[in-house]
Amino acid sequence: MIEEGSKRGKAAVEKRQLFMEMRAQNFDVIRLSTYRTACKLRFVQKRCNLHLVDVWNMIEAFRDNGLNTLEHHAEINVSRLETILSSIYYQLNKRLPTTHQINVEQSIGLLLNFMVATYDSESHGKLTVFSMKAMLATMCGGKIVDKLRYIFSQMSDSSGVMLFAKFDQFLREVLKLPTAVFEGPSFGYTEHSLRTCFPQQKITLNTFLDVLMADPPPQCLVWLPLMHRLANVENVFHPVECSYCRSESMMGFRYRCQQCHGYQLCQSCFWRGHANGPHSNQHQMKEHSSWKSPAKKLSHAISKSLGCVPIGESPHPVFPEQAERAQETPHNVQPKAAADHTSDTMLMSSEGAAPTKSVLESPSRLDEEHRLIARYAARLAAETGNSTQQCPPSDLTFTFDANKQQRQLIAELENKNREILQEIQRLRLEHEQASQPTPEKAQQNPTLLTELRLLRHRKDELERRMSALQESRRELMVQLEGLMRLLKDEEQKQVSQSGGSPHSSPSHGAGCSMPMPIRSTSAGSTPTHTPQDCMAGLGGDVLEAFAQGVPRNLRNDLLVAADSITNTMSSLVKELHSVDDGAEEEETNMRNGGERGVMQVQKQ
């Protein structure tokens, strides 16, 4: 009793664990119930590792556990169900490489609790054989056409016609899956579900596949093909930017608006109803599950226009209308004549295998590619036989020649298109190079362009400094003019006091107040004559002061200032025209010379 209670507690924990993980994925934000249901069931499929079990391996597990000999309404308890699931997962681990082994116990626990919660809501501890087959065949991996063929084999009679009562029972069982993931209001079973799928009275295998694989499929089962499309596009990459979230690439589905030009959404934005700009959620959107380059689109359009691509081809192979007899296999017991015992091998006998060997004799050892090769080989053989009977040899030769010519024409057009694209790319590059305003060397050498900008900036700066020094020179001239006036006034006062004229002062050597030591103080630094180039631009008083016969200390100092200013201007003009690396040193000399002259004037 204690052990049984612990098992129940563990089962309850595992059951809550799966649904809690599903809620954590936040699938409820998806506004469309079809995508929401498909995403939830895909999550359960991957979480329970059912996507790794092919439908052929599932059928083999049913045979190994003797389920093909039981009535559909027979019940099995939870212990036997756990044994069946154990055999499925342990066989799966044998097929998987050692680096991809799954946790068998965890997978069994999650799937077992999900099946019990889905099909044993009243806690009887039992499930019917048909419920288990319908659920596992729907949720396992593999192609949808193979799943539907197996499901049809469980619902048809010996003549290959579907029994509506069986299909109604299948709808009741399979529509419990959306209800288990809380999507019952959208895809729960109703009394009208049967007639909305098949209004006809006689349903064969091809009709069954046409209806369930149509676009769109019946409303109650629209999530089933979508779940398979989700599995096929999970790793599909689209190098396109989303118009809403601005993601530079998309994974999964891509949706393109049929009204807004160039407006495309990733699956996350579309599922959540995001829209911006002129686009509205009411616009019609086209779903894309792959990415084709413009060249591939052109090639496909040309091939289609030439009749190389079949138009309106059925989404599934066409199978014989009459059901074939079941073949004896080591895993099979001769079935009863009742409709409930329609053999599972009826599904496999139409694969085109040899009569001496069953296709399901060892399906776990058959690769998917081998099944495809066998299927297409049988189909091509049948088509070739029919065409040979209908067409004479001359018509066949003409058809082959026409197909060869069409392929050659397609190859030529593809080469021509490739050349045109290369020419367009070349012209685009030439146009971009010609439209650049900067010189080619500057484009190729950005360092040279930077140096040119720095030289222009240096030239402008030197011109500004030259203007400032010219202004300083004019101010110094004005100051010199004022100082000369003061000097002249001082000399006139001295002459008036001595009672002589300023022109007679040189003849009175003994009475002169200008002794030689004053001359010798500045004679070492300046010449005794007045340079003519230094006197240009000076006022009349300055010229008169320098024209005196007796040199004075103040005159020598003024001469030094004038020479310094003139030399500074000459150096600045040379620097402006040369703009070389020694500009800063010459500018420093100019500034120091000017400042020295001003300081000497201020001392006087």
Side-chain angles (χ1 to χ4, degrees):
M1 293 295 293
I2 298 176
E3 184 178 358
E4 183 178 356
S6 62
K7 288 184 178 180
R8 291 180 180 178
K10 182 180 179 181
V13 171
E14 292 177 347
K15 176 182 176 181
R16 289 194 302 268
Q17 176 186 353
L18 180 62
F19 288 104
M20 288 176 63
E21 291 179 1
M22 186 178 66
R23 288 192 181 95
Q25 299 296 319
N26 201 19
F27 292 123
D28 291 329
V29 300
I30 302 176
R31 63 187 183 95
L32 300 176
S33 59
T34 305
Y35 288 95
R36 189 168 60 245
T37 304
C39 288
K40 290 181 178 180
L41 292 177
R42 174 63 177 168
F43 172 79
V44 174
Q45 181 191 47
K46 294 180 67 176
R47 188 66 183 85
C48 297
N49 290 315
L50 278 176
H51 66 295
L52 302 175
V53 183
D54 193 83
V55 62
W56 312 107
N57 305 126
M58 193 65 71
I59 297 173
E60 182 187 19
F62 294 160
R63 292 183 171 280
D64 292 340
N65 289 274
L67 296 181
N68 59 318
T69 62
L70 298 178
E71 301 284 347
H72 281 176
H73 56 80
E75 293 182 343
I76 57 176
N77 55 28
V78 177
S79 299
R80 186 174 180 184
L81 176 60
E82 185 176 2
T83 302
I84 296 172
L85 298 182
S86 300
S87 65
I88 293 173
Y89 284 116
Y90 279 112
Q91 289 296 327
L92 172 63
N93 255 358
K94 291 181 180 180
R95 295 188 297 269
L96 293 176
T98 55
T99 56
H100 293 77
Q101 297 287 306
I102 65 171
N103 189 336
V104 175
E105 297 298 332
Q106 184 182 25
S107 301
I108 294 173
L110 291 175
L111 181 57
L112 179 64
N113 285 282
F114 180 75
M115 294 182 66
V116 171
T118 303
Y119 295 102
D120 188 23
S121 58
E122 298 180 358
S123 301
H124 293 311
K126 294 182 180 181
L127 278 75
T128 63
V129 173
F130 190 72
S131 298
M132 188 189 65
K133 283 186 175 183
M135 186 272 173
L136 293 178
T138 303
M139 294 294 293
C140 69
K143 297 183 178 180
I144 185 173
V145 63
D146 297 331
K147 292 183 181 182
L148 294 177
R149 287 184 61 199
Y150 173 75
I151 293 171
F152 183 83
S153 68
Q154 302 298 305
M155 302 183 300
S156 59
D157 56 14
S158 58
S159 62
V161 178
M162 186 186 74
L163 301 175
F164 278 86
K166 286 291 184 181
F167 181 70
D168 183 70
Q169 183 182 358
F170 168 74
L171 287 181
R172 291 176 184 270
E173 302 299 335
V174 77
L175 292 181
K176 290 180 181 179
L177 293 173
T179 304
V181 293
F182 314 106
E183 297 296 335
S186 300
F187 298 105
Y189 175 81
T190 61
E191 297 179 356
H192 305 286
S193 300
L194 176 63
R195 289 302 173 184
T196 56
C197 295
F198 298 104
Q200 303 94 333
Q201 295 297 325
K202 183 179 180 181
I203 305 300
T204 59
L205 174 60
N206 292 320
T207 306
F208 180 78
L209 296 177
D210 289 339
V211 172
L212 293 188
M213 297 183 66
D215 188 17
Q219 180 60 30
C220 60
L221 295 174
V222 68
W223 51 269
L224 181 57
L226 179 58
M227 185 176 68
H228 288 78
R229 296 206 307 274
L230 280 174
N232 294 331
V233 302
E234 283 181 348
N235 298 319
V236 174
F237 175 77
H238 304 268
V240 183
E241 182 183 24
C242 178
S243 299
Y244 183 84
C245 66
R246 299 302 177 186
S247 176
E248 295 182 357
S249 59
M250 303 181 188
M251 294 293 293
F253 286 119
R254 172 171 56 91
Y255 297 89
R256 181 166 56 87
C257 182
Q258 302 298 294
Q259 300 182 23
C260 304
H261 177 70
Y263 192 91
Q264 302 189 78
L265 292 176
C266 62
Q267 68 176 18
S268 178
C269 293
F270 175 75
W271 289 354
R272 287 158 175 76
H274 294 162
N276 58 346
H279 179 70
S280 171
N281 288 330
Q282 304 302 322
H283 292 180
Q284 183 180 3
M285 302 289 287
K286 185 176 181 180
E287 182 182 274
H288 295 271
S289 58
S290 63
W291 165 256
K292 291 183 180 180
S293 62
K296 288 185 179 180
K297 291 181 181 178
L298 178 61
S299 175
H300 181 76
I302 294 174
S303 302
K304 188 175 181 180
S305 63
L306 295 176
C308 300
V309 178
I311 302 176
E313 185 179 2
S314 175
H316 62 84
V318 179
F319 302 100
E321 295 292 340
Q322 296 295 329
E324 298 183 10
R325 291 186 177 182
Q327 300 179 11
E328 293 290 337
T329 62
H331 302 284
N332 191 16
V333 180
Q334 183 65 29
K336 298 180 182 179
D340 290 345
H341 296 283
T342 303
S343 175
D344 296 337
T345 54
M346 290 177 61
L347 171 64
M348 305 304 170
S349 58
S350 59
E351 290 290 339
T356 59
K357 183 179 180 181
S358 173
V359 179
L360 271 182
E361 181 176 355
S362 182
S364 62
R365 300 180 185 139
L366 291 179
D367 192 15
E368 180 67 19
E369 295 181 358
H370 295 169
R371 287 196 294 270
L372 285 174
I373 292 172
R375 179 184 303 169
Y376 291 145
R379 184 179 176 186
L380 289 175
E383 292 178 354
T384 304
N386 295 333
S387 61
T388 305
Q389 295 176 1
Q390 295 176 0
C391 302
S394 59
D395 294 341
L396 289 175
T397 304
F398 176 76
T399 303
F400 293 151
D401 293 340
N403 291 336
K404 184 177 180 180
Q405 293 176 359
Q406 289 175 355
R407 288 193 295 270
Q408 291 177 353
L409 179 60
I410 291 172
E412 293 176 359
L413 292 174
E414 288 179 349
N415 293 332
K416 189 65 176 178
N417 177 62
R418 194 177 299 109
E419 293 176 359
I420 292 174
L421 292 177
Q422 292 176 356
E423 183 67 17
I424 292 173
Q425 183 68 16
R426 185 183 65 80
L427 293 175
R428 183 179 297 142
L429 292 175
E430 292 181 357
H431 174 72
E432 292 177 354
Q433 292 176 358
S435 62
Q436 293 294 337
T438 56
E440 184 177 358
K441 293 183 178 180
Q443 291 180 359
Q444 297 177 357
N445 191 357
T447 306
L448 179 60
L449 183 60
T450 305
E451 292 179 355
L452 290 174
R453 293 197 187 98
L454 292 175
L455 288 175
R456 293 192 188 99
H457 180 71
R458 179 63 176 167
K459 180 180 178 182
D460 296 338
E461 184 179 358
L462 290 175
E463 289 178 353
R464 290 193 298 270
R465 291 183 179 179
M466 178 179 176
S467 300
L469 289 174
Q470 288 177 348
E471 184 67 25
S472 300
R473 180 174 178 271
R474 286 192 294 269
E475 293 178 357
L476 287 173
M477 291 300 179
V478 174
Q479 293 178 4
L480 287 172
E481 187 73 24
L483 290 173
M484 293 307 297
R485 291 195 191 97
L486 294 176
L487 180 60
K488 184 177 180 181
D489 294 341
E490 184 66 23
E491 289 179 351
Q492 290 177 355
K493 290 180 182 180
Q494 292 178 359
V495 171
S496 62
Q497 290 177 359
S498 61
S501 63
H503 299 284
S504 61
S505 56
S507 60
H508 299 81
C512 181
S513 60
M514 297 285 188
M516 289 302 293
I518 297 178
R519 179 179 178 180
S520 63
T521 304
S522 58
S525 60
T526 57
T528 57
H529 65 279
T530 304
Q532 296 298 326
D533 57 347
C534 298
M535 305 304 294
L538 297 178
D541 294 334
V542 178
L543 292 174
E544 183 180 356
F546 281 102
Q548 299 294 330
V550 181
R552 292 192 176 187
N553 189 15
L554 180 59
R555 292 175 184 176
N556 292 334
D557 293 339
L558 291 175
L559 183 59
V560 170
D563 287 339
S564 177
I565 293 173
T566 304
N567 293 332
T568 302
M569 294 302 298
S570 300
S571 301
L572 183 62
V573 171
K574 291 179 181 180
E575 183 181 11
L576 178 62
H577 288 288
S578 61
V579 194
D580 55 1
D581 296 336
E584 294 182 359
E585 181 179 357
E586 293 179 3
E587 180 183 341
T588 304
N589 294 333
M590 290 189 297
R591 185 165 56 250
N592 292 336
E595 292 176 354
R596 185 167 58 250
V598 174
M599 290 175 63
Q600 290 177 0
V601 172
Q602 289 178 353
K603 288 180 179 179
Q604 291 297 329

